Amino acid sequence: MRIVTTTAIALALVGGAVPAAIAQGPTTEGIWRMDGYGTVLSLHNGIFQEYQITAVSCLKGDSARRTGPGTYTTSDGTVLTVRSRGDHDHAFVREDGSVGSRSLRRIPALPDACSRPQAEDPRKTFDVFWQTFEENYPFFAAKGIDWHKARDQYRPKVHAGTTRDELYDVFSEMVEPLHDAHVAVLDGKRVFYQARPGTVMPSAELDARVKKFIVARDLQSARNLQDFANGRITYADLPGGQGYLRISGFDGYADDDAYAAQLAELDKTLDTVLSQERTRRLKGLIIDQRINGGGFDALGIHIAARLTDTPYLAYSKRARNDPTDPTRHTRPQPVYVEPAQGPRYTGPVAVLTSGSTVSAGETFTQALMDRPGKTVRIGQPTQGVFSDIMMRKLPNAMSAWLPNEEFLTRSGMTFDGTGIPPNLTEPVFTKEEFARKRDSAFDRALSILRNYGSATS
């Protein structure tokens, strides 16, 4: 099993821990069907094997080897934990670093389709591609897309002689109207995906250009300017007593890709940035996420835990759970922010966002919406993609990536498609802003935090 979200196409992972109360229980050997996610798992003789299921297919997915009691590790070092829920027939699986778990129900055997060879011809590949979205994608209605009409339009174009290039083009045309940055068609080194219209996806080049601009323009008089976590995090003390924290992603903090290594590097960063001395004297904190390609959702929760003295609900997470009914979902899993041990900053926060705030950058933004204390969002709406990505294999060795989850606010609202809106709208890194050396969102945030400070002094 592979739980993926985007970084470059905003592709990245997510994060958490196993509840101690259910750390032991009956054996988990056997065959399990996952609630939602179109997945069956086989756990036998120390091997964890994923099967990706639709009404027309069964394809082997990721595998892992047992590396401890109830734990399995994939070839890329991802750690998966499987635990019983206290009886023989119910369990859950969690990826190391995940903010949620996935429920499992025991079944007597693999579906019959899993024991039959899968045809690799273009028509079969088309049918699996279409069916995968039909059973799992949650947002057709919200986006006004008739997926059945798309099948009727494109299926007649596919035949036994359809080339790989032609099939790639067909799939790309089919998903293009979704304008969903968590949807991708992949074939070798080729990847088709796209951002929400009017937005730009993060890239290393854009991040470097923006960072150079900010350092020269916004931080020219700052003190203690320092990069952390392989340059993914920047901090500076501003002249008026405010702090500036720039986060360009929630992964890449350490050379080791494992979540534990990322978390350790983040803790080192936060221990320096939010020291006891600094948290006492800060008069406000700007958190700049305007170029943020995503990563581990749990790292965002970890940062939020340094910004509160009071536990609160960050969001709830649910997945589509019926192949024939897109309105049915798994039970929402609440994700809470618990105050961290040690120094915490609880004063005013200004969060800067844009259409280049993607995936885990958005879930972190959402995790701060109900933060106790003054928190204001400034800039432009985020990209509008929150879900983990399902990475689905196709019979001809191409693959498709798609979301199947929603992140809910306390009132049950989601921001998929539209993104999280700012409280205060300002232009963000437009041609005019660059040309005139303006940073309207930063200036607005600084003004507001100074007003907060003068009102409480």
Side-chain angles (χ1 to χ4, degrees):
M1 184 181 67
R2 193 78 165 92
I3 304 174
V4 189
T5 52
T6 63
T7 298
I9 57 182
L11 299 169
L13 300 172
V14 291
V18 177
I22 50 178
Q24 303 297 327
T27 179
T28 56
E29 290 276 300
I31 309 297
W32 301 89
R33 184 181 294 276
M34 193 179 292
D35 286 348
Y37 302 93
T39 298
V40 169
L41 301 180
S42 170
L43 276 63
H44 281 300
N45 299 323
I47 300 298
F48 175 115
Q49 180 63 59
E50 176 195 46
Y51 291 85
Q52 300 174 356
I53 310 294
T54 73
V56 300
S57 62
C58 173
L59 295 168
K60 274 190 174 183
D62 284 346
S63 62
R65 291 187 175 275
R66 183 185 295 139
T67 49
T71 61
Y72 300 80
T73 303
T74 66
S75 60
D76 67 357
T78 300
V79 178
L80 305 167
T81 301
V82 183
R83 291 286 187 267
S84 164
R85 289 201 183 274
D87 63 48
H88 179 73
D89 295 324
H90 298 87
F92 71 89
V93 59
R94 186 190 297 268
E95 180 175 333
D96 184 24
S98 174
V99 294
S101 61
R102 298 181 180 183
S103 295
L104 305 174
R105 292 175 290 112
R106 190 183 292 277
I107 58 177
L110 289 172
D112 290 342
C114 298
S115 61
R116 297 193 296 265
Q118 298 288 317
E120 298 180 10
D121 68 274
R123 288 167 296 191
K124 178 64 176 181
T125 300
F126 178 96
D127 291 341
V128 174
F129 178 86
W130 184 88
Q131 195 71 34
T132 297
F133 279 82
E134 168 70 7
E135 295 185 8
N136 296 289
Y137 191 73
F139 308 123
F140 286 125
K143 293 174 180 289
I145 302 299
D146 186 335
W147 192 236
H148 289 253
K149 184 177 178 180
R151 179 189 57 190
D152 295 342
Q153 177 183 350
Y154 287 98
R155 183 61 166 80
K157 299 180 180 181
V158 179
H159 50 81
T162 299
T163 68
R164 197 176 189 89
D165 288 347
E166 290 169 340
L167 194 59
Y168 177 84
D169 289 341
V170 164
F171 292 163
S172 300
E173 288 179 22
M174 289 175 70
V175 300
E176 183 176 10
L178 297 175
H179 298 294
D180 190 325
H182 270 185
V183 169
V185 179
L186 301 95
D187 181 25
K189 294 183 178 180
R190 294 190 296 184
V191 180
F192 174 85
Y193 76 98
Q194 58 182 359
R196 176 166 57 81
T199 66
V200 176
M201 290 294 286
S203 67
E205 294 75 19
L206 178 61
D207 184 55
R209 181 189 182 197
V210 166
K211 184 176 180 179
K212 182 178 180 180
F213 177 82
I214 288 171
V215 169
R217 194 265 183 195
D218 300 331
L219 306 182
Q220 58 179 325
S221 300
R223 296 178 296 105
N224 302 317
L225 175 61
Q226 187 174 354
D227 284 338
F228 301 89
N230 278 340
R232 303 283 276 167
I233 298 175
T234 299
Y235 181 81
D237 287 312
L238 301 175
Q242 294 76 29
Y244 173 83
L245 179 65
R246 183 173 186 266
I247 306 170
S248 63
F250 289 100
D251 66 354
Y253 296 170
D255 294 335
D256 184 345
D257 290 337
Y259 174 76
Q262 307 297 312
L263 180 60
E265 194 63 35
L266 176 62
D267 271 332
K268 285 171 56 179
T269 298
L270 295 176
D271 288 345
T272 300
V273 168
L274 297 177
S275 65
Q276 188 170 35
E277 185 273 334
R278 182 173 278 128
T279 54
R280 279 201 304 260
R281 64 173 169 77
L282 270 183
K283 298 179 180 179
L285 179 64
I286 296 174
I287 300 178
D288 190 348
Q289 289 208 102
R290 288 173 292 179
I291 310 296
N292 187 311
F296 292 90
D297 291 332
L299 294 183
I301 296 294
H302 202 70
I303 296 174
R306 301 276 187 135
L307 303 174
T308 182
D309 283 338
T310 306
Y312 68 94
L313 178 69
Y315 43 73
S316 295
K317 182 178 177 180
R318 70 182 184 183
R320 184 174 163 183
N321 196 29
D322 188 322
T324 62
D325 185 353
T327 67
R328 297 187 64 180
H329 301 86
T330 57
R331 179 175 300 191
Q333 292 187 53
V335 177
Y336 292 95
V337 176
E338 299 285 347
Q341 298 295 318
R344 298 181 294 273
Y345 171 73
T346 59
V349 170
V351 184
L352 308 187
T353 65
S354 78
S356 300
T357 308
V358 179
S359 194
E362 301 184 82
T363 64
F364 176 53
T365 302
Q366 189 166 349
L368 297 180
M369 290 179 68
D370 287 328
R371 171 185 175 265
K374 294 183 173 67
T375 306
V376 59
R377 301 183 307 279
I378 302 172
Q380 294 289 310
T382 63
Q383 177 65 213
V385 290
F386 297 78
S387 172
D388 299 348
I389 288 179
M390 300 177 69
M391 186 175 70
R392 311 306 278 187
K393 296 184 178 181
L394 299 175
N396 69 345
M398 293 171 65
S399 59
W401 293 16
L402 67 155
N404 73 324
E405 300 171 332
E406 295 175 330
F407 282 62
L408 309 176
T409 65
R410 185 183 300 275
S411 63
M413 179 183 299
T414 69
F415 298 101
D416 287 282
T418 60
I420 298 175
N423 301 117
L424 301 170
T425 300
E426 293 288 351
V428 173
F429 304 133
T430 62
K431 290 181 179 179
E432 183 181 14
E433 291 269 294
F434 278 128
R436 298 190 177 185
K437 293 183 170 52
R438 291 194 318 210
D439 191 346
S440 300
F442 176 89
D443 291 348
R444 187 82 177 270
L446 198 55
S447 174
I448 287 172
L449 292 179
R450 286 173 175 168
N451 287 336
Y452 282 155
S454 62
T456 57
S457 60

